Amino acid sequence: MKIGLMSDTHDRLDAVERAVKFFNDAGVEHVLHAGDLISPFVASKFAELEAKLYYVWGNNDGDREHVREKFGEIGVKPLGRFASIELGGRKIALLHGEDEDVVRAVGKSGLYDVVVRGHTHQASIQENPVIVNPGEVCGYLSGRRTVALLDLKTLKAEIVELEG
Ligand code: MN
C-alpha cells in the first residue's frame, strides 16, 4: 500500500490543487502533511482530497484556531506538533521537524519504521533510519513543487515533482 506525503504548502493554492489531484489520481487512501499550511483558507482546498488527511502543525502556522475550524468543516482534525500513526502495519512518526536533533532522535529511537518531516523545503529520502522529507508543495525556495509517495510494504519512498 502506498501513501502520500506532503509538506510546506505555504498558501500556494494552485500547487495544493495539483497535489490533491495527483494524490486522487494515484489512488492513495492516506496523505500525511508535515505542516506549514499557513492560512486557514488553504484548509478548504483539501475538501477535494479523497484520501484521509493527517496534519501536524508547522512553526509558521499562526491562526491555529481558524485552521482547526476550517479543517473541521471537512472532517480533518490537526494532530498537534507530533503524531504517531499506524498504517499498513507500520509505525510512522509525523512532525514538522524544525529541530534536526529531534528528527534524528525520533529516527534512531527504534519506535518508528518511518519518520516523515518537512520544514527544510528540501526533498530528501534517508535510509536507516528511514526519514522522508517530501520537499515543498509551494516551490518557493527550491523552485520545485514536490510531494512523495511511500510504499509501506517496502518502505521505499519516491519524490514526485508536480507538473504544470
Ligand atoms: Mn517550517
Side-chain angles (χ1 to χ4, degrees), residues 17 47 54 58 77 95 100 105 122 124 142:
E17 281 172 12
Y54 302 73
K77 191 174 183 290
L95 76 172
E100 294 299 331
Q122 296 294 326
S124 67
S142 67

Side-chain angles (χ1 to χ4, degrees), residues 9-11 33 35-40 42-43 46 55 61 67 71:
T9 42
H10 285 268
D11 287 350
H33 189 314
D36 275 1
L37 181 86
I38 313 301
S39 302
V42 186
F46 288 89
Y55 186 80
D61 286 317
V67 170
F71 264 146

Side-chain angles (χ1 to χ4, degrees), residues 7-8 10 34-38 57-61 81 96-98 118-121:
S7 191
D8 295 274
H10 285 268
D36 275 1
L37 181 86
I38 313 301
W57 300 116
N59 59 313
N60 291 302
D61 286 317
R81 297 301 313 267
H96 188 56
E98 305 87 297
H119 184 63
T120 65
H121 293 234

